[in-house]
Amino acid sequence: MDIYVARASAVFVHDGRMVRVGAGETARAGHPYVVAHPELFAPLEVVYDVATTEPAPDPEPEPEPIPVPVKRGPGRPRKNG
């Protein structure tokens, strides 16, 4: 469904009540405000569309960790006695 954006701020009466639409506010096609006042709205232009963007590259696999050599000592000294 198409989306419309208000070209400018406007105030009008709709179904007996005062309505304020701010510039840049959006409404879907067929909304009563868009139908009643099409001159106030324009189709929303998409700048970054999903279909036109390049997919992100796959992340490079992380290298295998290099084992750190553990220095082995003689252990605890023995107790005499």
Side-chain angles (χ1 to χ4, degrees):
M1 194 173 240
D2 292 332
I3 298 176
Y4 287 80
V5 61
R7 297 176 187 204
S9 295
V11 177
F12 53 89
V13 177
H14 184 79
D15 286 342
R17 59 173 223 198
M18 193 71 75
V19 176
R20 181 194 178 280
V21 175
E25 291 183 346
T26 57
R28 294 211 181 263
H31 188 279
Y33 297 168
V34 177
V35 173
H37 299 280
E39 71 281 0
L40 299 177
F41 295 89
L44 180 68
E45 293 182 28
V46 176
V47 177
Y48 300 105
D49 199 340
V50 174
T52 61
T53 59
E54 294 181 24
D58 290 334
E60 292 188 24
E62 292 189 21
E64 291 290 322
I66 299 172
V68 179
V70 178
K71 187 173 184 181
R72 301 276 180 198
R76 286 185 161 185
R78 292 186 183 190
K79 290 185 179 178
N80 292 334

